[in-house]
Amino acid sequence: MKLEPSQVKEKFGPLFSQRLLTMVDDSRGVAEIIETCAVRGTIEWDAVNRCRAGGIIEWCEVEGTTMTMRARLGVQKANFGPADSEMGGQALEGVTLDGDTVRTQWAGTGGAGLGVAACLTQAPGVLYSIYPSEADLKVGGSHTNRVEIVTPLYEKVTIGVDDTDNKDGGATWVTALKASKIAATLPGVQALNLRLIQLCPKSPNKTTNCVSSAITFAVRPDAYDTLINSVVDTVKAENKSEEPGIAVYRGIGIPAGLKEFGWATKRQLVSMADVNTKAQEFGVEFIDLMGPKAGRIGALAAVALSEERAEVAALHEDKALPLIRR
């Protein structure tokens, strides 16, 4: 049976899922799924149970009321526990491409079955859901449910920005955040995050704090060029520096060698030659507003560390880190 979100809501009543977004990197065989709920507790429970179940999930993480899942493309039945076990559970069993849409396959028992069959299926971002049998529409209690959810295909794009300010004014993070907010108004573009990357403070080109910014997006394939043009236009309009840099990476997952470079920029100064070599090696494109300038260094570092956490905002061996819960 095929139901659209409005039909699911009519059948089960309004529930609590607030977003379901699927990005796919077909060349690497991976997907990234972002799910937001009304409260953090349900997301934490789902994350633990899905990771326990196995299936195609590689890892989950929770930030606030949002969970990000990294998964392999394909289908694999999960071991989430029989309906009569004490544990029950929930699982992601498949992610497959279908033209410009993505099909994700879910399973759950009891309340977890209700979560995927009646709640997640009415989330903004869902096109429609397919229930294999009438039994899958009986939710809660001791029922087991399976459902296939169809969503639009997005890709992941990460953009690093650096050196857009000078001693008289400006701040790179403000420029980057403005670029992110403006781009998010475009059809087919969703802004995901902004991360500030503390670089080695010994840089001779720094303004004050020596911090670059990474902005990440989920982008419909036909909106990629529009996104890039928008970000470049905003950075160009806001720029106050003679050394601006923009770096662009398309794909899910930052390669280990690129991450190593990013961490090196926090410990020590790096050369432009090394920056250019690393960018070419890992498929990062520079967009130069004034030719190849020093801003390339921080822009590439921002891309490299865009998927890390509080450590990237800290100085190397920062004494503040042990006090931060993460």
Side-chain angles (χ1 to χ4, degrees), residues 234-251:
T234 302
V235 174
K236 189 180 296 185
E238 296 289 326
N239 178 58
K240 302 178 184 299
S241 167
E242 297 297 319
E243 301 284 339
I246 301 173
V248 181
Y249 178 75
R250 300 176 74 170

Side-chain angles (χ1 to χ4, degrees), residues 33-35 43 46-47 50 60-62 65-69:
I33 303 170
I34 297 178
E35 177 186 346
I43 283 291
D46 289 346
R50 292 174 192 174
C60 299
E61 67 175 7
V62 174
T65 61
T66 296
M67 168 169 46
T68 301
M69 292 164 280

